[in-house]
Every structure is written in C-alpha cells, then in structure tokens.
Amino acid sequence: MALARRFRDHDGQLTGTAEALQSAVAVVGWEGPDATDFRERWEQCRQKLSLTAGHLGSAAEHLALQAAQQDAASDPEGRIDAGDYGGMLGGEFLDWSDLINAGERVGDIWRDRIEAGDPESSLGSRYTEENPQWDPADVDIDQNGIESSLVNQGSLGDCWYLAALMAVQQTDPGLLAENISGVGEPPGADGWEVQLFLDGEWQDVPVSPEDLGVNGTMDDGTGDPSWATIYEMAMINANDGRASAVSADTPAAGLEMITGESARESDSIGQPSFDEYKQAIDEGRPITVMTDPMKPIGPARDDLVAAHVYQVSGYDEETGEIILTNPHGPNGSTTYEVRIDPDDPMYATSIFMTGIGE
C-alpha cells in the first residue's frame, strides 16, 4: 500500500502542477501569432501531463487492488474495510465484485468502448450491415421463444451475465419476457427496451438493431440474434460500453441485475454442499458458479474453462454431482455440460464462487 500511496501522491502533484500552469497561461495578456502558437503548444503539453497523471492514478489503483485482493483472500468472509486503502477503491466495505470491477477499471484507460461498427472491435461489424436481409422484428421475445432458444456466447467476456440469463431462462422465463418489449411496428422493427435492475432501481434500457454486432451472443440453433443478444446489448448500453463493466463480474452480480432480487454469494471458503445446491434448484432459484480462484490451491479440472461462469442447471442425486452448463453453447469448442461433486474436498480448486438468487 505504501507504493500505491506514492503513485497517488505523484498523480496529485502532477495534476496540481498542470492546473496551476493552466491558470497562469489563462491570465496572460498576450496576443498575436506567437501567443497563439505558444497556447497550442501548451495545450499539447497539458494533455500529456493529464495523461501521465491518469496513468499514475491507474497504477495506484491497481497496486491498491492487489493489496486488497491479498487481504480479502485471507479474510474468512472475503470482505475488507475500504478505509484501509486510502480511498482508492471506494465504498464502505468491499466484496469480490468490487475487487473484480476495480481491477477491470484500471484497464479502461487503454481500451476502446465496446460498440458495433468497427470490424476490429470486440463486437465487430454491425449485424444489420453484414446481414441486410435479417428482420429484427423476427426476434422471438415471447416466453415460448425464450424457453426454446440456446445461448451461444460470442467474443465478449461477459459469461457472468450470460450464465445468469441462462439460469433465469430456466427458472423464470416469464420474467425475461415481461422485461423486454419491441419498439416500432411490427414490434422490434425499431429496436427494443429492456428493463434491468441498476443502481437499486429498475431502468428501461433502449437497444437499437444497429447496436448489435456480429461477434455478440447468438442463438446456438439459428446463429441469429436472439432475446439474449438484446439483453446482452442492454447491459452494454446501460454501462456506456465500458469494457470494465462488461468483461468481468461475480456470479451474483448478473442474477441481481436481471431479477432485481438479491443473490447470496459464497466463495471458496464457504461453498454450498450438494444438499444446499439441490434445495435451491428444487426451489426454482437461479444459480451460477465461477471457476478457478485467483490463487489456485491446486490444478483445476481439464473440462472446465478457467475464470469462467457457468449456469448450475441440475443435479444427479445418485452420484451427488451438480450439472454445470456452459454459456459457450453446445456447438462451442469447450465442454457444454460438466458434472462436479461439491462435497469433494478438491471442489474449491475448480469452483471458486457461487451465486444463488432468491
């Protein structure tokens, strides 16, 4: 933490110097071509100073995050007091979602927004441009259509969100259908509105057909955009396309955003037993799990994708195993369904975190 504070102090000093010089330049009564040239050169210098200060601030936050992760891993509940980190991580108390998001935010300064239209972006070209015959009004957003479709994760690292969609698709598809509506005539021709639970309240998030990219999630059966594609894009739009908000989070975060209900989160220290998973499944509660702890105790299983979130879709009472379903889809290059025993002592080397919705 001492090193993080030094980086933050130098960030503040550099920012203060740039602001002081800017004030000095602003009050100089100097006119003419030389003055104009000077002010243009100073603006270039000011921007470089601000960028360097931003890098120092990001490095400070990253160092503070590393210290926080070490402390959280040692805490029985995985929680720490944010006040111990000089205000660099925010909040009164931090949990794993805070830590993951803080780590992702560090990289935002070097990353572009996630949006369709650029073939080199993570969403790729616009789906409407690559498939001009596709009719957005054909996307089935009714409950029956939602129940029958299969999610196939695209190029984005938002498995935490897609696995949550799959879990709610199984437990409450009516809620998903209720919270998505088509815009235009026929419905969907001009896009959709999706309700997501954000910052403690339900919010309507608009999605345009032009927002969808060819590299987003698609229906595994048809290869076309589905209700899940629209839900995915709503999450991206709600976060203004920030990579840190899209590419990583905990199992509980996705469930809460979609259902509006709190979700219980357990890390490797206190994972549910088989009976607890079974009870939650029997009660119709959505469940997702995240693979691989940040500092593995031992090797993870070969049939599990590292740092990936799966839906818990069922259980086998005879073997004592729970069934995990992969957002990559049945036609993906990784194993679609994996069975794993939560009561095995080595379970924590493969599954790091569980989120169970209400």
Side-chain angles (χ1 to χ4, degrees), residues 265-294:
E265 198 163 83
S266 306
D267 62 21
S268 57
I269 297 173
Q271 291 277 32
S273 66
F274 171 81
D275 287 338
E276 289 172 316
Y277 279 115
K278 177 180 179 297
Q279 179 180 350
I281 293 170
D282 288 344
E283 291 174 351
R285 297 163 67 184
I287 312 172
T288 58
V289 295
M290 178 190 292
T291 61
D292 295 358
M294 292 182 180

Short mmCIF file of all heavy atoms in Angstrom, two decimals, residues 265-294:
data_model
loop_
_atom_site.label_atom_id
_atom_site.label_comp_id
_atom_site.label_asym_id
_atom_site.label_seq_id
_atom_site.Cartn_x
_atom_site.Cartn_y
_atom_site.Cartn_z
N GLU A 265 -23.94 -14.91 -2.20
CA GLU A 265 -22.67 -15.22 -2.84
C GLU A 265 -21.76 -15.95 -1.85
O GLU A 265 -21.61 -15.52 -0.71
CB GLU A 265 -22.00 -13.94 -3.32
CG GLU A 265 -20.92 -14.15 -4.35
CD GLU A 265 -20.60 -12.85 -5.08
OE1 GLU A 265 -19.81 -12.07 -4.54
OE2 GLU A 265 -21.17 -12.64 -6.17
N SER A 266 -21.16 -17.04 -2.28
CA SER A 266 -20.24 -17.81 -1.45
C SER A 266 -18.94 -17.99 -2.20
O SER A 266 -18.95 -18.31 -3.40
CB SER A 266 -20.84 -19.19 -1.12
OG SER A 266 -22.12 -19.07 -0.54
N ASP A 267 -17.81 -17.79 -1.52
CA ASP A 267 -16.53 -18.04 -2.17
C ASP A 267 -15.98 -19.38 -1.70
O ASP A 267 -16.67 -20.16 -1.05
CB ASP A 267 -15.54 -16.89 -1.97
CG ASP A 267 -15.18 -16.66 -0.51
OD1 ASP A 267 -15.35 -17.59 0.30
OD2 ASP A 267 -14.72 -15.56 -0.19
N SER A 268 -14.72 -19.65 -2.02
CA SER A 268 -14.16 -20.99 -1.80
C SER A 268 -14.13 -21.39 -0.33
O SER A 268 -14.05 -22.57 -0.01
CB SER A 268 -12.74 -21.06 -2.38
OG SER A 268 -11.92 -20.05 -1.81
N ILE A 269 -14.21 -20.42 0.57
CA ILE A 269 -14.15 -20.75 2.00
C ILE A 269 -15.46 -21.36 2.47
O ILE A 269 -15.47 -22.21 3.36
CB ILE A 269 -13.81 -19.49 2.82
CG1 ILE A 269 -12.42 -18.98 2.42
CG2 ILE A 269 -13.87 -19.76 4.31
CD1 ILE A 269 -12.04 -17.66 3.04
N GLY A 270 -16.60 -20.97 1.89
CA GLY A 270 -17.89 -21.46 2.37
C GLY A 270 -18.85 -21.84 1.27
O GLY A 270 -19.97 -21.33 1.21
N GLN A 271 -18.43 -22.71 0.35
CA GLN A 271 -19.28 -23.11 -0.78
C GLN A 271 -20.45 -23.97 -0.30
O GLN A 271 -20.35 -24.69 0.70
CB GLN A 271 -18.46 -23.89 -1.79
CG GLN A 271 -17.42 -23.05 -2.52
CD GLN A 271 -18.01 -22.31 -3.70
OE1 GLN A 271 -19.17 -21.93 -3.68
NE2 GLN A 271 -17.21 -22.11 -4.70
N PRO A 272 -21.58 -23.92 -1.01
CA PRO A 272 -22.72 -24.77 -0.65
C PRO A 272 -22.39 -26.26 -0.79
O PRO A 272 -21.56 -26.65 -1.61
CB PRO A 272 -23.80 -24.36 -1.66
CG PRO A 272 -23.38 -23.01 -2.15
CD PRO A 272 -21.88 -23.04 -2.14
N SER A 273 -23.07 -27.07 -0.03
CA SER A 273 -22.97 -28.52 -0.15
C SER A 273 -23.90 -29.00 -1.26
O SER A 273 -24.70 -28.23 -1.79
CB SER A 273 -23.37 -29.18 1.17
OG SER A 273 -24.76 -28.94 1.44
N PHE A 274 -23.80 -30.29 -1.59
CA PHE A 274 -24.71 -30.84 -2.61
C PHE A 274 -26.16 -30.63 -2.19
O PHE A 274 -27.01 -30.24 -3.01
CB PHE A 274 -24.44 -32.33 -2.83
CG PHE A 274 -25.47 -32.98 -3.71
CD1 PHE A 274 -25.40 -32.85 -5.09
CD2 PHE A 274 -26.53 -33.69 -3.16
CE1 PHE A 274 -26.36 -33.44 -5.91
CE2 PHE A 274 -27.50 -34.28 -3.98
CZ PHE A 274 -27.40 -34.16 -5.35
N ASP A 275 -26.48 -30.89 -0.92
CA ASP A 275 -27.85 -30.75 -0.46
C ASP A 275 -28.34 -29.31 -0.57
O ASP A 275 -29.52 -29.07 -0.86
CB ASP A 275 -27.97 -31.23 0.99
CG ASP A 275 -27.86 -32.75 1.11
OD1 ASP A 275 -28.13 -33.44 0.11
OD2 ASP A 275 -27.51 -33.24 2.21
N GLU A 276 -27.45 -28.35 -0.34
CA GLU A 276 -27.86 -26.95 -0.45
C GLU A 276 -28.09 -26.56 -1.90
O GLU A 276 -29.04 -25.82 -2.21
CB GLU A 276 -26.79 -26.06 0.18
CG GLU A 276 -26.74 -26.17 1.70
CD GLU A 276 -25.56 -25.43 2.30
OE1 GLU A 276 -24.43 -25.56 1.76
OE2 GLU A 276 -25.76 -24.73 3.32
N TYR A 277 -27.22 -27.04 -2.81
CA TYR A 277 -27.48 -26.81 -4.24
C TYR A 277 -28.81 -27.45 -4.64
O TYR A 277 -29.62 -26.84 -5.34
CB TYR A 277 -26.36 -27.42 -5.08
CG TYR A 277 -25.11 -26.59 -5.20
CD1 TYR A 277 -23.90 -27.03 -4.68
CD2 TYR A 277 -25.11 -25.36 -5.86
CE1 TYR A 277 -22.73 -26.28 -4.81
CE2 TYR A 277 -23.96 -24.61 -5.99
CZ TYR A 277 -22.77 -25.07 -5.46
OH TYR A 277 -21.61 -24.33 -5.59
N LYS A 278 -29.02 -28.70 -4.22
CA LYS A 278 -30.24 -29.42 -4.58
C LYS A 278 -31.48 -28.69 -4.08
O LYS A 278 -32.46 -28.53 -4.83
CB LYS A 278 -30.20 -30.83 -3.97
CG LYS A 278 -31.46 -31.66 -4.21
CD LYS A 278 -31.33 -33.04 -3.57
CE LYS A 278 -32.61 -33.86 -3.78
NZ LYS A 278 -33.79 -33.24 -3.13
N GLN A 279 -31.44 -28.21 -2.86
CA GLN A 279 -32.59 -27.49 -2.32
C GLN A 279 -32.88 -26.22 -3.13
O GLN A 279 -34.04 -25.93 -3.46
CB GLN A 279 -32.35 -27.12 -0.85
CG GLN A 279 -33.51 -26.34 -0.23
CD GLN A 279 -33.26 -25.99 1.23
OE1 GLN A 279 -32.30 -26.47 1.84
NE2 GLN A 279 -34.10 -25.13 1.79
N ALA A 280 -31.82 -25.48 -3.46
CA ALA A 280 -32.01 -24.24 -4.23
C ALA A 280 -32.57 -24.54 -5.62
O ALA A 280 -33.44 -23.82 -6.12
CB ALA A 280 -30.68 -23.50 -4.34
N ILE A 281 -32.09 -25.61 -6.25
CA ILE A 281 -32.60 -25.99 -7.58
C ILE A 281 -34.06 -26.41 -7.47
O ILE A 281 -34.90 -26.00 -8.28
CB ILE A 281 -31.74 -27.12 -8.18
CG1 ILE A 281 -30.34 -26.60 -8.49
CG2 ILE A 281 -32.39 -27.68 -9.45
CD1 ILE A 281 -29.34 -27.69 -8.86
N ASP A 282 -34.39 -27.20 -6.46
CA ASP A 282 -35.78 -27.66 -6.28
C ASP A 282 -36.72 -26.49 -6.00
O ASP A 282 -37.91 -26.54 -6.35
CB ASP A 282 -35.85 -28.66 -5.13
CG ASP A 282 -35.24 -30.01 -5.49
OD1 ASP A 282 -35.03 -30.26 -6.69
OD2 ASP A 282 -34.95 -30.79 -4.56
N GLU A 283 -36.18 -25.44 -5.39
CA GLU A 283 -37.00 -24.26 -5.10
C GLU A 283 -37.11 -23.32 -6.30
O GLU A 283 -37.76 -22.28 -6.22
CB GLU A 283 -36.39 -23.50 -3.91
CG GLU A 283 -36.52 -24.26 -2.58
CD GLU A 283 -35.78 -23.56 -1.44
OE1 GLU A 283 -35.03 -22.59 -1.73
OE2 GLU A 283 -35.96 -23.98 -0.29
N GLY A 284 -36.45 -23.68 -7.40
CA GLY A 284 -36.53 -22.87 -8.62
C GLY A 284 -35.72 -21.59 -8.54
O GLY A 284 -36.09 -20.58 -9.16
N ARG A 285 -34.62 -21.62 -7.82
CA ARG A 285 -33.79 -20.43 -7.69
C ARG A 285 -32.65 -20.47 -8.71
O ARG A 285 -32.03 -21.52 -8.92
CB ARG A 285 -33.23 -20.35 -6.26
CG ARG A 285 -34.34 -20.19 -5.24
CD ARG A 285 -33.88 -20.52 -3.84
NE ARG A 285 -32.90 -19.56 -3.36
CZ ARG A 285 -32.28 -19.67 -2.19
NH1 ARG A 285 -32.52 -20.72 -1.42
NH2 ARG A 285 -31.42 -18.75 -1.81
N PRO A 286 -32.35 -19.37 -9.39
CA PRO A 286 -31.27 -19.35 -10.38
C PRO A 286 -29.91 -19.43 -9.69
O PRO A 286 -29.68 -18.77 -8.67
CB PRO A 286 -31.46 -18.00 -11.09
CG PRO A 286 -32.12 -17.14 -10.06
CD PRO A 286 -33.01 -18.04 -9.26
N ILE A 287 -29.00 -20.22 -10.28
CA ILE A 287 -27.69 -20.43 -9.66
C ILE A 287 -26.61 -20.39 -10.73
O ILE A 287 -26.76 -20.96 -11.82
CB ILE A 287 -27.61 -21.81 -8.95
CG1 ILE A 287 -28.83 -22.04 -8.06
CG2 ILE A 287 -26.33 -21.92 -8.13
CD1 ILE A 287 -28.90 -23.45 -7.50
N THR A 288 -25.51 -19.73 -10.41
CA THR A 288 -24.33 -19.74 -11.28
C THR A 288 -23.09 -19.93 -10.43
O THR A 288 -23.08 -19.62 -9.23
CB THR A 288 -24.19 -18.43 -12.09
OG1 THR A 288 -24.12 -17.32 -11.20
CG2 THR A 288 -25.36 -18.25 -13.04
N VAL A 289 -22.02 -20.43 -11.05
CA VAL A 289 -20.75 -20.62 -10.35
C VAL A 289 -19.60 -20.09 -11.21
O VAL A 289 -19.68 -20.07 -12.44
CB VAL A 289 -20.48 -22.10 -10.01
CG1 VAL A 289 -21.50 -22.63 -9.02
CG2 VAL A 289 -20.44 -22.96 -11.26
N MET A 290 -18.54 -19.67 -10.54
CA MET A 290 -17.34 -19.18 -11.22
C MET A 290 -16.19 -20.15 -10.96
O MET A 290 -15.97 -20.58 -9.84
CB MET A 290 -16.96 -17.78 -10.72
CG MET A 290 -15.68 -17.22 -11.33
SD MET A 290 -15.12 -15.70 -10.50
CE MET A 290 -16.44 -14.57 -11.00
N THR A 291 -15.45 -20.47 -12.02
CA THR A 291 -14.32 -21.39 -11.89
C THR A 291 -13.05 -20.66 -11.46
O THR A 291 -12.88 -19.47 -11.68
CB THR A 291 -14.03 -22.10 -13.21
OG1 THR A 291 -13.69 -21.13 -14.20
CG2 THR A 291 -15.22 -22.90 -13.68
N ASP A 292 -12.16 -21.44 -10.84
CA ASP A 292 -10.78 -21.06 -10.56
C ASP A 292 -10.60 -19.86 -9.64
O ASP A 292 -10.95 -18.74 -10.00
CB ASP A 292 -10.00 -20.77 -11.85
CG ASP A 292 -9.83 -21.99 -12.71
OD1 ASP A 292 -10.26 -23.07 -12.32
OD2 ASP A 292 -9.26 -21.84 -13.78
N PRO A 293 -10.06 -20.08 -8.48
CA PRO A 293 -9.74 -18.96 -7.60
C PRO A 293 -8.61 -18.13 -8.16
O PRO A 293 -7.89 -18.57 -9.05
CB PRO A 293 -9.33 -19.64 -6.28
CG PRO A 293 -8.86 -20.98 -6.71
CD PRO A 293 -9.69 -21.37 -7.89
N MET A 294 -8.45 -16.93 -7.64
CA MET A 294 -7.39 -16.06 -8.13
C MET A 294 -6.01 -16.66 -7.87
O MET A 294 -5.07 -16.46 -8.62
CB MET A 294 -7.50 -14.67 -7.48
CG MET A 294 -8.72 -13.91 -7.92
SD MET A 294 -8.78 -12.27 -7.18
CE MET A 294 -10.30 -11.66 -7.90
#
